[in-house]
Amino acid sequence: MQETRQFESDNRWFRIIYPKAWQVEFEDGIYTLTKADDSSWAFQISAYKTVNDSIPNFDIDEELQRIVEIHPKAKIVALPNRKAIYYTERRDDSLLYIWIIGGKKCKAFCSYTADASTTQNANLDASRQVINTMKLQ
């Protein structure tokens, strides 16, 4: 098993455990995890939180219906501590694996993007493991 680190977002909206060999960068509200010596892929997280208590909790089933209308291949997947929406999308020479994960007052958009020729690799598997460790508010 590889060594890991724990990371908590600056606003404390989410926490993950990720491979120690990865680095975390933050720009424009997006956390990007990569390896310094490999630019063929990236794992990214954007989290959003309701700012008003009158806004209802995020409803994963309602979100699924909305996403399925846009992405017919979207499906609900079970994570260790919640449900998520998952789908893939091809953009030019890249393939994106996308997860939308709902918390009580927060949701996270996570994506693994890689060159189409390098999509099935250890970094994709590790990204899936990171998703499984995510704790959201």
Side-chain angles (χ1 to χ4, degrees):
M1 182 170 169
Q2 63 183 338
E3 290 186 58
T4 59
R5 292 183 185 169
Q6 183 170 297
F7 174 80
E8 186 170 30
S9 64
D10 297 342
N11 49 25
R12 299 187 179 191
W13 292 352
F14 70 88
R15 186 174 48 236
I16 57 171
I17 297 172
Y18 68 98
K20 191 175 184 177
W22 292 11
Q23 60 189 20
V24 179
E25 297 176 359
F26 179 74
E27 186 176 334
D28 297 329
I30 300 171
Y31 295 88
T32 301
L33 292 87
T34 59
K35 281 186 180 175
D37 61 346
D38 186 357
S39 63
S40 67
W41 67 277
F43 179 70
Q44 296 184 309
I45 303 170
S46 301
Y48 303 90
K49 185 175 181 183
T50 59
V51 294
N52 184 327
D53 285 338
S54 66
I55 297 173
N57 288 349
F58 173 77
D59 183 337
I60 192 74
D61 295 324
E62 196 174 288
E63 185 76 359
L64 175 63
Q65 292 298 63
R66 189 180 70 74
I67 296 297
V68 166
E69 291 172 10
I70 299 167
H71 301 282
K73 294 181 181 180
K75 61 183 177 181
I76 214 165
V77 293
L79 300 178
N81 53 3
R82 66 180 37 92
K83 294 178 183 177
I85 297 164
Y86 170 78
Y87 62 96
T88 60
E89 186 175 290
R90 183 174 288 281
R91 288 191 188 158
D92 299 322
D93 292 334
S94 297
L95 188 60
L96 282 74
Y97 294 80
I98 300 166
W99 296 263
I100 302 171
I101 304 164
K104 292 179 183 173
K105 291 283 185 182
C106 184
K107 66 180 168 182
F109 293 85
C110 305
S111 66
Y112 174 85
T113 307
D115 296 340
S117 60
T118 62
T119 55
Q120 294 297 333
N121 63 33
N123 296 317
L124 174 57
D125 294 339
S127 296
R128 289 180 174 134
Q129 291 173 3
V130 170
I131 294 283
N132 287 336
T133 70
M134 181 175 276
K135 305 263 191 261
L136 278 171
Q137 281 193 357

